[in-house]
Amino acid sequence: MADPAGARESDWWRSAAIYQVYPRSFADADGDGTGDLAGVRARLPYLRDLGVDAIWFTPWYPSPMADGGYDVADYRAIDPTFGTLDEAERLIADALDFGIRTIIDVVPNHISDAHEWFQAALAAEPGSPERERFWFRPGRGEDGGEAPNSWTSEFGGPAWSRAHRPDGTPEEWYLHLFSAEQPDLNWGHPDVRQEYEDVLRFWFDRGVSGVRIDSAALLAKDAALPEVPEVHGPGAHPYVDRDELQEIYRSWRKIAESYGGDRALIGEIWLPDTERFARYLQPDVLHTAFNFDYMTAPWHADRLRSSIDTTLDMHAKVGAPATWVLSNHDVTRPVTRYGREDTAFAFATKRFGTPTDLALGRRRARAAALLAMALPGSYYIFQGEELGLPEVEDIPHERRQDPMYARSEGVDPGRDGCRVPLPWSGDHPPYGFGPGSADTWLPQPEDWAGLTAEAQSADPASMLSLYRVALLVRRTHPDLGDGPMAWLESRPGVLAFTRGDSFACVANLTGAPVDLPANDQIWVASAALEGGRLPADATAWLRLPPTTA
């Protein structure tokens, strides 16, 4: 396969701009209303022109879609809705020809209840070898009618479901930290470890450059399955961030490096303890991990600066690059979130009917993108972020599919609103998402004509044009991507820093225009200057005179 132009370094992942593709919602080639791999292949020129270095695909494997594909039934095939394994291999190769690497998603904490392993476990007797790959346990109480412990699912409700015989007779319970259709694997079992090591090799053999690891801190469990204590020491939680994980990922790192040293392992790790987080980024463990602290932070200068400083300090201690993320397939889109009174993100506070000023949110989202792209490390873009798409909040009840919505009995809006299919062209749904007029799998709003890629390509002031220019500067400027930065003195509410000798980024989070440092050129700005001053909720990239830096 071709070596990607512009990404030849073995440590490409330290500075890359990585674009997240949610296959169901990116582009549809066959006209059935659901995205597919052929649709992605047809849009590779768009991604090249956008200026990304890699594509991260959320799971494209066969799945009943109980959790948007994160319930995987077979890691060595492609879901027929998306295409075939041969098409995936051609897509990986074609993307490389465009200078774009491919990152796949692996979900090692659990599999689908349709997976052959779990079906065999259900058919087997309690205590059988087939059940040892999972967490089957007898229930508590006289008739075993109570769950083995009080663990709760990440999606709400109990983390246990009871298995039943074909005749309906209840028997053992099985653990699922997510939906009941996602049984947890027992990572103390050698079959489980061997299977995932083989899966890594399977996809590395097909040319993928990286693996994103879903829920990477949840795999290992205390075999005694104790209750979660109110207070616990580092590594002592019964199923979060256990020390056994380090050896698992060290074995994965050895496999990645056996392919030449340019394959990357990227962890989805939510941990408040920065020292524990950094352990996953030691030179022989993972290459990078998502920066959720920054992604969920409010649009507030002090909070963002604190997150930046903590992130860079933590990563410097282990020699790993930082990652900067504004959104993904799980969180409220930035245009909507930044227009709210509370601009932070937390699943616990996500509710229907939260007021949003979309004009303010769009302005802040533009500024936030430039701020994040200028920071040292890699930058992740969730599809549609570059179009400034808002969260779709009026999806009809009967069209919603996210288990978070169902398990909360409609209290939590779920994640469907950020997963609505992209608008490509035209003035009404499906906006060129696919040929013909088939309804998309989630409904698109009627007012997205101005947000299509076609419409924004012709508008130099659009969000898409901003992203294209910024990513071009980011890719070609020698001081951007991974490397050092230094804060500039600035007034409260302003974040200003340099990258190298001549580049500066200034973000104005105050409510009024501010003066910019002396400069020779404005590389790009998220909003037009006002009398030479940077307006409120705006970010600018500057070229500094030689004596300034």
Side-chain angles (χ1 to χ4, degrees), residues 17 211 230 384 409 467:
V211 174
E230 290 188 13
E409 298 183 344
Y467 267 72

Side-chain angles (χ1 to χ4, degrees), residues 105-127:
D105 214 318
V106 169
V107 192
N109 179 70
H110 50 262
I111 54 177
S112 167
D113 61 354
H115 192 286
E116 62 179 4
W117 276 9
F118 192 69
Q119 288 299 303
L122 289 178
E125 295 296 323

Side-chain angles (χ1 to χ4, degrees), residues 121-126 131 136-139 143-144 161-166 168-173:
L122 289 178
E125 295 296 323
R131 292 198 172 187
F136 279 89
R137 292 292 187 272
D143 60 353
S161 288
R162 200 168 190 184
H164 291 79
R165 292 295 182 190
T169 302
E171 45 134 318
E172 288 188 312
W173 297 69

Side-chain angles (χ1 to χ4, degrees), residues 59-71:
W60 55 13
Y61 320 104
S63 168
M65 295 292 171
D67 182 25
Y70 281 88
D71 47 321

Side-chain angles (χ1 to χ4, degrees), residues 145-160:
E146 298 178 34
N149 64 27
S150 301
W151 293 3
T152 57
S153 163
E154 296 291 313
F155 291 161
W160 294 90

Side-chain angles (χ1 to χ4, degrees), residues 83-334:
T84 65
L85 181 58
D86 181 64
E87 285 182 295
E89 292 175 348
R90 292 202 304 272
L91 174 54
I92 293 166
D94 288 353
L96 282 174
D97 288 337
F98 280 101
I100 301 172
R101 297 176 184 264
T102 295
I103 299 167
I104 61 162
D105 214 318
V106 169
V107 192
N109 179 70
H110 50 262
I111 54 177
S112 167
D113 61 354
H115 192 286
E116 62 179 4
W117 276 9
F118 192 69
Q119 288 299 303
L122 289 178
E125 295 296 323
S128 64
E130 291 85 355
R131 292 198 172 187
E132 290 177 358
R133 295 168 175 155
F134 302 93
W135 295 100
F136 279 89
R137 292 292 187 272
R140 295 177 294 178
E142 185 174 341
D143 60 353
E146 298 178 34
N149 64 27
S150 301
W151 293 3
T152 57
S153 163
E154 296 291 313
F155 291 161
W160 294 90
S161 288
R162 200 168 190 184
H164 291 79
R165 292 295 182 190
D167 65 2
T169 302
E171 45 134 318
E172 288 188 312
W173 297 69
Y174 67 90
L175 175 68
H176 53 86
L177 290 180
F178 292 85
S179 75
E181 295 84 3
Q182 295 167 289
D184 277 38
L185 290 163
N186 174 11
W187 272 86
H189 197 293
D191 286 358
V192 175
R193 292 194 58 161
Q194 185 63 54
E195 168 66 4
Y196 278 85
E197 290 176 4
D198 290 347
V199 165
L200 295 186
R201 294 187 182 96
F202 180 89
W203 286 105
F204 285 146
D205 286 343
R206 280 153 182 80
V208 304
S209 296
V211 174
R212 181 263 190 185
I213 307 163
D214 181 77
S215 302
L218 300 183
L219 281 58
K221 277 86 174 176
D222 183 334
L225 302 178
E227 297 292 348
V228 177
E230 290 188 13
V231 179
H232 57 81
H237 191 286
Y239 62 83
V240 178
D241 181 37
R242 295 186 61 79
D243 291 338
E244 303 96 296
L245 290 170
Q246 300 298 309
E247 181 53 36
I248 292 170
Y249 294 134
R250 284 190 173 93
S251 70
W252 288 25
R253 181 66 173 254
K254 290 177 183 177
I255 292 170
E257 292 183 346
S258 73
Y259 283 81
D262 64 344
R263 305 300 201 272
L265 300 175
I266 304 157
E268 183 197 30
I269 301 171
W270 294 62
L271 292 178
D273 186 325
T274 58
E275 291 187 6
R276 296 290 298 185
F277 180 91
R279 295 170 75 243
Y280 292 87
L281 299 177
Q282 296 175 95
D284 61 343
V285 191
L286 304 180
H287 295 81
T288 66
F290 283 3
N291 188 347
F292 289 107
D293 180 75
Y294 188 84
M295 182 183 71
T296 59
W299 184 244
H300 186 278
D302 291 345
R303 178 64 177 82
L304 289 172
R305 177 160 180 166
S306 174
S307 182
I308 293 166
D309 285 339
T310 299
T311 296
L312 295 178
D313 178 65
M314 171 180 61
H315 285 76
K317 290 177 179 178
V318 289
T323 64
W324 308 100
V325 190
L326 297 181
S327 63
N328 64 27
H329 63 291
D330 288 333
V331 306
T332 303
R333 284 195 176 275

